[in-house]
Amino acid sequence: MKKEKWITVTNKYTYLLLLTIPVAIIKIIFYDLKQTNISDISFQIFLSIIIAIIGIYFFVRLNSYSLWMNPNHPKPNNDDR
């Protein structure tokens, strides 16, 4: 039994959207934790996490078939079962 592939990468440049994850982690470690006010720290960490989530969301949206959002994307092969 093969696992279904629901993400098919057609444009290799969409992998750049996944770079938001390490950039957000580096930003949190080297920049956000050096703030002095706790509200500034929490807001900047929240902002970094939101930007990483948006990058992941767009990566999945651009690389998966959807009749409404991405109808020209190739459908995954379900005949491999």
Side-chain angles (χ1 to χ4, degrees), residues 29-43:
I29 291 172
F30 291 114
Y31 175 72
D32 296 342
L33 295 178
K34 301 208 185 218
Q35 301 286 332
T36 56
N37 193 356
I38 191 70
S39 64
D40 291 340
I41 293 171
S42 60
F43 177 72

Side-chain angles (χ1 to χ4, degrees), residues 11-74:
N11 187 359
K12 302 294 182 193
Y13 291 117
T14 58
Y15 281 119
L16 293 175
L17 291 170
L18 290 180
L19 279 177
T20 59
I21 299 168
V23 168
I25 292 172
I26 290 170
K27 182 181 176 289
I28 288 171
I29 291 172
F30 291 114
Y31 175 72
D32 296 342
L33 295 178
K34 301 208 185 218
Q35 301 286 332
T36 56
N37 193 356
I38 191 70
S39 64
D40 291 340
I41 293 171
S42 60
F43 177 72
Q44 292 296 327
I45 290 174
F46 175 74
L47 192 62
S48 299
I49 291 172
I50 291 296
I51 290 172
I53 289 172
I54 290 171
I56 293 168
Y57 174 78
F58 279 120
F59 175 77
V60 171
R61 271 289 145 209
L62 291 173
N63 292 316
S64 62
Y65 173 77
S66 173
L67 187 61
W68 179 60
M69 295 282 291
N70 204 0
N72 295 330
H73 196 275

